[in-house]
Amino acid sequence: MKYYDKEIARETLIHVSLGTLINYPLNIFFTWLVIVQWKNTDPVFLSTTLTAGISVIAFTRIYIVRTLTEKRKKRKNTLG
């Protein structure tokens, strides 16, 4: 049984790296939007807005990465 798969580790690293690069500034933006622009400091509203926004972006990001990974795997299997 194989305990370490380089492809899975690579894909996981891509997900975590992109998540950090995208979600950190996104979190700052949504916090600014809710508190400064909308003048709302309710923690429940802030948390709900952040969770909803980041969830949509995360779904899109992961879908794109998975699609590209699958295309790369298919291309690699056809060539080799």
Side-chain angles (χ1 to χ4, degrees), residues 19-75:
T20 302
L21 288 172
I22 293 171
N23 290 345
Y24 180 71
L26 190 63
N27 192 341
I28 293 172
F29 170 73
F30 279 130
T31 303
W32 169 80
L33 182 68
V34 171
I35 294 174
V36 176
Q37 295 300 311
W38 296 348
K39 310 283 190 239
N40 192 330
T41 57
D42 177 35
V44 174
F45 183 78
L46 178 61
S47 295
T48 304
T49 305
L50 287 171
T51 301
I54 289 175
S55 294
V56 170
I57 300 298
F59 177 85
T60 306
R61 173 180 49 81
I62 292 171
Y63 184 84
I64 290 170
V65 170
R66 291 287 301 140
T67 302
L68 293 174
T69 302
E70 290 302 315
K71 284 182 182 178
R72 188 176 58 79
K73 284 180 186 177
K74 286 179 185 174
R75 190 172 56 241

Side-chain angles (χ1 to χ4, degrees), residues 3-16:
Y3 291 104
Y4 180 77
D5 187 326
K6 283 186 177 184
E7 287 297 315
I8 292 173
R10 181 176 184 271
E11 186 176 329
T12 303
L13 179 63
I14 291 170
H15 282 298
V16 171

